Amino acid sequence: MKHRRRIIVTLCFCLALTPISAVATQDPSQSPPAKIDFKFEKVDLDLLEQVNLLDKRFERDGLVYADQPTNAYLQRVGESLVARDLKLENVVWKFRALRDPVPNAFALPNGSIYVNTGVMALCDNESQLAAILAHEITHVLRRHTYLQNRSNRKKILTINIINAVGVWNPVGGVAGLAVGIIAAVSPFILVSTIYGYSRDLEREADMKGVDLMMSAEYPPEEMVQMLKLLNRDIEGEEIKLFYNDHPQLQDRIAYVSAHLGAKAEKTTAASELKKEKSAYLTKIEGLMRHDIQLAINAGRFRTAV
């Protein structure tokens, strides 16, 4: 069984590691414009239909954390990172919390960005939350999901997606339900948004995410702190989540830090971050209580503590 699971994961990661196009592999350190010249094809419109269905399924099945203040807060932080005069075809920005104790986040190409309650509870302050959102926003701005999907459809392997779901997220419950819905509606979305994009696309999301943070006046060094937080595997699961693959997390910390060395003008004072942490934890207190119960229900007792 372990050997079978290793094969499944390897196949999925091979898909996510495949380079896709000259547009996607340009050097992200050159600060590419937020908008790229992207023309929708039938395959893209088919995928768009699937992701719109996913939004409806998440709401219908009760996966979205139904707390208006929390989602309004997420929406405010997310919109602060997006240029107000930027209009993208077939994109409506929606930032919502997903009832899932696993520290993860993902973006759908229609502008819907989901941040798990588990990762919001992990953040120490709003700037770290902004780092997560900035990374995911870049995936949408740069049309990464569509580009990855075009590539994957040409090379897709015969794999058992449902079995792969169990490997990716062994905790079950609400968390397993979310990934199961994605697998049922669109396996291509599962491969790209959950298992990870190519190395070049993830690097671009990191670098451009830093630039978005700076433009919104968030301390960009908190991107590095968020990476370090996500590197803590307190449950001992060794499952691949959000930031910790494509490439390895330590490599990402290194190149983001180097990028900051050239661009960051100052480091936020510890006293300011302490105030920000206090304000942030006050805003998400209800969500954290909810996430503790989700973690207990999923058997993630170290996380709950």
Side-chain angles (χ1 to χ4, degrees):
M1 177 63 71
K2 289 184 178 179
H3 179 68
R4 181 184 179 188
R5 289 186 172 185
R6 190 177 299 113
I7 292 174
I8 293 169
V9 173
T10 301
L11 291 173
C12 290
F13 287 166
C14 285
L15 286 172
L17 287 170
T18 305
I20 63 176
S21 72
V23 172
T25 56
Q26 61 185 321
D27 183 1
S29 65
Q30 299 302 313
S31 298
K35 188 175 182 179
I36 62 174
D37 184 17
F38 183 85
K39 303 297 182 183
F40 276 87
E41 300 175 0
K42 185 181 183 302
V43 65
D44 307 315
L45 295 175
D46 289 344
L47 186 66
L48 178 62
E49 184 177 350
Q50 293 172 8
V51 300
N52 287 337
L53 177 59
L54 277 176
D55 276 333
K56 295 177 181 178
R57 285 287 303 272
F58 287 154
E59 292 182 0
R60 188 195 75 182
D61 294 353
L63 273 68
V64 176
Y65 180 52
D67 181 71
Q68 195 278 331
T70 297
N71 286 301
Y73 173 56
L74 266 175
Q75 190 73 24
R76 177 183 67 76
V77 176
E79 288 181 350
S80 73
L81 295 160
V82 181
R84 294 185 178 181
D85 60 344
L86 178 65
K87 302 296 182 183
L88 285 177
E89 185 180 4
N90 293 321
V91 169
V92 177
W93 296 106
K94 293 180 182 178
F95 301 87
R96 289 179 282 190
L98 205 65
R99 298 176 56 244
D100 189 333
V102 177
N104 206 4
F106 60 91
L108 299 181
N110 62 355
S112 291
I113 293 178
Y114 291 95
V115 184
N116 288 4
T117 54
V119 82
M120 289 187 68
L122 186 67
C123 292
D124 277 337
N125 53 55
E126 184 175 304
S127 295
Q128 292 175 3
L129 174 62
I132 292 171
L133 295 178
H135 177 99
E136 297 301 332
I137 286 169
T138 303
H139 283 314
V140 179
L141 291 176
R142 305 297 291 172
R143 308 292 196 179
H144 286 173
T145 306
Y146 293 119
L147 296 173
Q148 183 97 355
N149 183 51
R150 290 178 184 179
S151 176
N152 285 348
R153 290 182 70 90
K154 297 174 183 177
K155 308 175 179 66
I156 192 68
L157 303 175
T158 303
I159 59 175
N160 190 325
I161 293 292
I162 301 302
N163 282 350
V165 169
V167 174
W168 179 84
N169 195 340
V171 302
V174 174
L177 180 60
V179 181
I181 290 173
I182 298 174
V185 174
S186 178
F188 293 107
I189 288 290
L190 181 72
V191 171
S192 60
T193 63
I194 298 297
Y195 283 97
Y197 297 89
S198 70
R199 290 176 181 269
D200 288 336
L201 297 189
E202 290 290 2
R203 181 184 176 94
E204 183 176 38
D206 286 337
M207 298 302 214
K208 187 61 181 176
V210 166
D211 294 343
L212 291 178
M213 291 182 69
M214 295 179 70
S215 295
E217 299 185 344
Y218 284 107
E221 63 270 15
E222 288 303 293
M223 174 77 83
V224 176
Q225 296 306 313
M226 191 68 243
L227 291 168
K228 291 179 179 178
L229 282 175
L230 288 161
N231 198 29
R232 299 175 184 173
D233 182 23
I234 62 174
E235 295 290 346
E237 295 163 327
E238 296 183 355
I239 52 180
K240 301 302 182 182
L241 303 169
F242 186 43
Y243 271 115
N244 64 345
D245 196 64
H246 311 303
Q248 292 298 317
L249 190 141
Q250 289 300 328
D251 292 339
R252 302 177 83 162
I253 291 175
Y255 67 61
V256 170
S257 297
H259 187 61
L260 285 175
K263 294 198 171 189
E265 295 180 358
K266 63 178 180 179
T267 300
T268 305
S271 59
E272 290 299 316
L273 287 177
K274 185 175 181 180
K275 291 179 183 177
E276 188 183 348
K277 178 176 182 177
S278 178
Y280 175 75
L281 294 180
T282 299
K283 284 187 176 70
I284 69 162
E285 182 178 357
L287 175 142
M288 290 185 70
R289 292 178 184 275
H290 185 76
D291 189 69
I292 289 171
Q293 188 60 58
L294 291 175
I296 292 172
N297 294 345
R300 298 173 63 80
F301 302 118
R302 294 177 183 176
T303 297
V305 171

